[in-house]
Amino acid sequence: MGIKQLFPKEGEELTADLNYFSGKNEGNSLYVTDYYASSGGGKTGNYQQELLSSGTNKFLTIQTDYVNTFKNIKLETGLRAQLRKLSNINDNYVFSSTSNQFELIPSATSNYKNNDNVYAAYVSLSGSKKDFGYKLGVRAESSKYDGT
């Protein structure tokens, strides 16, 4: 979603954008390995492994920019926030003939969650004097990442 505001003064404008994405995923896989005594021989057993997975993704980006001109100088400013939140769960199980059920293998499991937020702001001035053009600007950015 985006908006653009044009002002009566030529060269002055304000834009704002918002982008949001959200998704989920799920998976279930079953692997069966059969064992044989010899090539062409009878089956002696099997190994069963199950992988259950799920996760979520959420992305939000908000951005605004402002442009204005003063005499021969162009001013540009902007703000941006990018927020991401992810979770991913992968549980790995093997079938136990003793308990007659699938049992979780913690060492073969990967579960994580993370938040990644980036904030930015900028300002720049540009112009020209006769045959000399210039652009001066500064940008500040902050990033925070938390993960488990």
Side-chain angles (χ1 to χ4, degrees), residues 84-128:
R84 296 186 294 188
K85 185 176 185 177
L86 302 170
S87 71
N88 195 358
I89 299 170
N90 292 297
D91 290 331
N92 201 345
Y93 298 85
V94 293
F95 188 78
S96 168
S97 57
T98 307
S99 65
N100 204 31
Q101 64 184 14
F102 284 94
E103 295 180 356
L104 180 67
I105 308 170
S107 62
T109 296
S110 65
N111 298 330
Y112 67 90
K113 294 179 182 180
N114 73 299
N115 294 320
D116 182 16
N117 300 332
V118 179
Y119 305 96
Y122 76 94
V123 62
S124 70
L125 296 170
S126 59
S128 62

